[in-house]
Amino acid sequence: MANIDYSQINVIKEKIKILNSSSNIIHVTMNNKRKSVHNAVSKILSIHDRFICIESKVNDYIEKFTINYIDLLIGNFSIKELLI
């Protein structure tokens, strides 16, 4: 895996802040073998220095996720609106 520098994380965080200022609704895909979520309509709950908290309706119930910006960079999660 290539080195990831802090500026890449800052770029993602700033893009998420811009998305959140216009609409706190995003579409999230979790690329994880233990749990699969594809293009789930999600609400941004909070934006932090290293992660964001979201809420999604998955299988007819509300589930909360914490997404580390690193996970977005390495592909464990994707946000459709970021086009990463």
Side-chain angles (χ1 to χ4, degrees):
M1 182 170 95
N3 288 338
I4 298 170
D5 73 38
Y6 195 70
S7 67
Q8 292 172 295
I9 292 172
N10 283 335
V11 168
I12 289 175
K13 184 169 64 172
E14 290 307 313
K15 286 181 179 181
I16 290 171
K17 284 180 180 179
I18 291 167
L19 284 172
N20 193 42
S21 68
S22 61
S23 170
N24 66 347
I25 301 300
I26 56 175
H27 297 82
V28 175
T29 297
M30 183 188 316
N31 305 311
N32 187 329
K33 291 180 179 154
R34 71 179 172 94
K35 191 177 261 190
S36 180
V37 176
H38 297 285
N39 209 25
V41 176
S42 306
K43 178 181 178 183
I44 298 173
L45 298 175
S46 58
I47 300 171
H48 301 276
D49 194 39
R50 303 268 182 185
F51 60 91
I52 63 171
C53 297
I54 64 167
E55 181 178 83
S56 301
K57 187 172 184 180
V58 179
N59 298 328
D60 295 324
Y61 64 94
I62 300 297
E63 189 165 339
K64 293 182 180 179
F65 295 97
T66 299
I67 301 175
N68 292 311
Y69 301 132
I70 295 290
D71 285 328
L72 290 168
L73 288 172
I74 64 175
N76 291 340
F77 284 87
S78 61
I79 297 174
K80 181 179 176 181
E81 290 77 6
L82 289 180
L83 302 173
I84 291 178

